[in-house]
């Protein structure tokens, strides 16, 4: 039986399992070697014989993630940004790219840089406006549509199936940044996307101790082979030790995600009617403008990511972050420990993010401790 016939929870729990024939070890060794000896006929023993091209630890981690996303192949990169910058290398010179106007700022800045160099043409669309994505597409000219859902840090939701249909009608491929939902809790490839991306630094690893990125394809195309070749040329694969740690984190991805989702829902409900809170942005709330889409394309909860708009402004939002004692005032997301971040202070004055937005990455602690911490922080003590 192939691992692929198993349910995602089982595939994840077995991500690091590979019984070693020689020793019976249940957890395989990490192949740290940078080079691999040829055999007596001078033939490489494996698919690759140099670490930058690939190695057994990398392949094992890639197979686990590809199986979870139900794609034929995955590629792991040294960071999420390494995956994004490698993928954008495959956009033809001068071709058109479409992306949302509010999204992970690292991706937005990178696309804007390519635009300013004349490498690509770029249209940013408002993900809240109906028909905005369709309006941004240029039939026959748009090469790549990059969307993120839920969108960082406003947690707006984009309908993946509708975006895939529109992208394909224009002759473009659709790539989905699904970092905010762990693998398979949203399955972009099953909804028609061509590529799914995760900053594996976040939920997939989940312990705030590995930097990694991954792309999974729906089909092995010439373009996919180009991405793989470019990863080698750009020196961007994930090193073996990180691959091993990532598999170790991946084993618990579902239990972590479900607990984080349940905690986030409790917090969202508690603070959605609070005198110090203007609004809670969370796709799990029925009042969220795209709650129906989120309910359709997310399973196992709505994730641990939310933002709260603090009454007052820039200063009040920042004060809340520094007053918290349980929740850590730090960037990143998807770890077992809860984090709070004042995004405007981080992204700078040109950012479209509201001044009073505090982004919360909810972890797996007891929800009452998190609610009490936020209550204390908002009360000013
Ligand atoms: C963190 C993040 C990235 C970038 O990934 P790194 O692993 O930090 O390079 C991209 N997209 C989203 C939504 C992210 O949260």
């Amino acid at each position: 039986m192939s691992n692929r016939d198993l349910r995602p929870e089982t595939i994840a729990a077995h991500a690091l399992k590979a019984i070693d024939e020689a020793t019976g070890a249940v957890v395989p060794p990490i192949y740290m070697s940078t080079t691999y000896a040829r055999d007596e006929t001078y033939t490489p023993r494996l698919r690759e014989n140099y670490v930058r091209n690939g190695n057994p630890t990398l392949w094992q981690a890639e197979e686990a993630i590809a199986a979870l996303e139900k794609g034929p192949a995955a590629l792991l990169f040294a960071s999420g940004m390494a995956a994004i910058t490698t993928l954008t290398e495959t956009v033809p010179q001068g071709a058109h790219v479409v992306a949302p106007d509010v999204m992970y700022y690292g991706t937005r800045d990178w696309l804007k840089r390519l635009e300013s160099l004349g490498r690509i043409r770029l249209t940013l669309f408002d993900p809240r406006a109906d028909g905005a994505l369709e309006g941004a597409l240029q039939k026959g000219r748009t090469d790549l549509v990059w969307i993120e859902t839920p969108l960082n840090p406003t947690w707006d939701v984009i309908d993946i199936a509708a975006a895939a249909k529109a992208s394909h009608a224009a002759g473009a491929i659709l790539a989905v940044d699904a970092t905010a939902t762990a693998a398979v809790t949203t399955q972009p490839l099953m909804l028609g996307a061509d590529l799914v991306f995760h900053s594996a630094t976040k939920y997939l690893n989940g312990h705030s101790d590995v930097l990694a990125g991954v792309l999974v394809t729906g089909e092995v195309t010439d373009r996919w082979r180009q991405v793989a070749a470019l990863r080698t040329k750009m020196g961007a694969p994930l090193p073996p030790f990180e691959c091993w740690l990532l598999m170790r984190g991946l084993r618990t991805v579902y239990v972590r995600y479900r607990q984080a989702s349940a905690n986030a829902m409790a917090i969202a409900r508690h603070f959605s009617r609070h005198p110090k809170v203007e609004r809670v942005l969370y796709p799990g709330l029925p009042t969220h403008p795209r709650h129906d889409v989120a309910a359709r394309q997310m399973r196992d909860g709505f994730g641990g990511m939310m933002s709260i708009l603090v009454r007052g402004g820039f200063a009040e939002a920042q004060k809340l972050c520094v007053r918290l004692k349980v929740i850590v005032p730090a960037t990143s997301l998807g770890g077992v420990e809860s984090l709070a971040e004042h995004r405007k202070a981080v992204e700078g004055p040109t950012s479209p993010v509201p001044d009073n937005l505090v982004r919360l990455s909810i972890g797996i602690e007891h929800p009452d401790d998190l609610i009490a911490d936020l209550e204390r922080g908002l009360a000013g003590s």
Side-chain angles (χ1 to χ4, degrees):
M1 184 169 73
S2 148
N3 221 7
R4 296 214 170 209
D5 301 325
L6 300 168
R7 288 175 180 76
E9 289 82 349
T10 314
I11 296 173
H14 288 201
L16 192 53
K17 190 190 89 176
I19 296 168
D20 182 36
E21 287 302 326
T23 64
V26 173
V27 169
I30 310 172
Y31 290 90
M32 290 300 283
S33 190
T34 55
T35 185
Y36 291 82
R38 290 167 181 256
D39 70 10
E40 57 287 355
T41 65
Y42 206 67
T43 310
R45 291 162 215 244
L46 301 174
R47 267 191 278 157
E48 303 293 350
N49 57 4
Y50 184 57
V51 65
R52 180 153 44 76
N53 301 43
N55 63 82
T57 308
L58 176 83
W59 295 327
Q60 190 188 349
E62 288 177 342
E63 171 51 29
I65 297 172
L68 288 176
E69 293 287 2
K70 289 197 161 58
L75 288 167
L76 273 165
F77 293 81
S79 69
M81 287 312 298
I84 291 166
T85 55
T86 303
L87 175 66
T88 56
E89 274 295 296
T90 66
V91 175
Q93 174 61 35
H96 184 235
V97 174
V98 169
D101 58 5
V102 173
M103 61 169 158
Y104 178 69
Y105 78 124
T107 314
R108 190 181 60 226
D109 281 1
W110 179 252
L111 292 175
K112 284 194 165 165
R113 177 179 179 274
L114 295 181
E115 182 192 32
S116 73
L117 293 172
R119 243 307 261 123
I120 62 168
R121 286 179 307 112
L122 180 64
T123 303
L124 300 179
F125 68 95
D126 176 359
R128 296 178 202 212
D130 286 330
L133 169 57
E134 289 76 0
L137 291 163
Q138 297 174 8
K139 203 172 162 100
R141 296 211 182 91
T142 307
D143 171 68
L144 171 68
V145 177
W146 178 274
I147 62 167
E148 194 178 302
T149 187
L151 274 155
N152 183 29
T154 54
W155 317 112
D156 287 314
V157 172
I158 297 179
D159 185 331
I160 297 171
K165 218 167 136 203
S167 304
H168 294 158
I173 65 162
L174 175 70
V176 179
D177 181 341
T179 299
T181 61
V184 187
T185 60
T186 296
Q187 277 184 306
L189 299 181
M190 299 295 103
L191 296 169
D194 301 282
L195 295 170
V196 53
F197 163 83
H198 287 270
S199 164
T201 313
K202 317 292 169 53
Y203 280 109
L204 298 189
N205 180 61
H207 293 76
S208 310
D209 52 11
V210 171
L211 181 67
V214 68
L215 285 170
V216 189
T217 189
E219 225 181 297
V220 177
T221 57
D222 284 347
R223 186 168 191 162
W224 178 254
R225 290 192 196 96
Q226 213 187 326
V227 176
L230 281 166
R231 180 182 68 170
T232 297
K233 289 196 173 71
M234 294 169 78
L238 189 64
F241 185 53
E242 277 75 5
C243 290
W244 190 92
L245 272 179
L246 173 58
M247 284 187 273
R248 172 158 160 162
L250 194 62
R251 304 183 95 168
T252 54
V253 67
Y254 292 105
V255 280
R256 287 187 282 103
Y257 187 78
R258 284 176 191 145
Q259 183 64 43
S261 294
N263 285 356
M265 192 59 144
I267 293 166
R269 285 214 182 97
H270 183 94
F271 290 98
S272 57
R273 256 180 253 102
H274 190 282
K276 294 275 173 73
V277 173
E278 189 181 293
R279 205 141 68 86
V280 174
L281 310 176
Y282 185 60
L285 290 175
T287 50
H288 184 283
R290 294 266 197 283
H291 176 68
D292 58 329
V293 179
R296 217 183 316 130
Q297 67 187 25
M298 298 173 85
R299 67 157 218 172
D300 288 325
F302 296 92
M305 295 309 302
M306 65 168 67
S307 294
I308 57 177
L309 303 181
V310 178
R311 258 192 221 291
F314 189 93
E316 280 68 22
Q318 200 157 90
K319 272 188 216 145
L320 169 64
C321 293
V322 296
R323 281 188 199 127
L324 296 169
K325 301 267 190 314
V326 179
I327 302 174
V328 183
T331 195
S332 198
L333 63 97
V336 291
E337 66 286 290
S338 295
L339 308 174
E341 187 174 46
H342 183 210
R343 283 304 291 185
K344 191 61 173 255
V346 173
E347 295 188 22
T350 59
S351 160
V353 171
D355 280 3
N356 63 340
L357 182 145
V358 173
R359 185 180 86 177
L360 298 174
S361 170
I362 300 302
I364 64 168
E365 303 95 332
H366 196 289
D368 294 352
D369 288 334
L370 303 175
I371 289 172
D373 198 33
L374 287 163
E375 278 284 7
R376 270 193 310 266
L378 286 166
S381 55

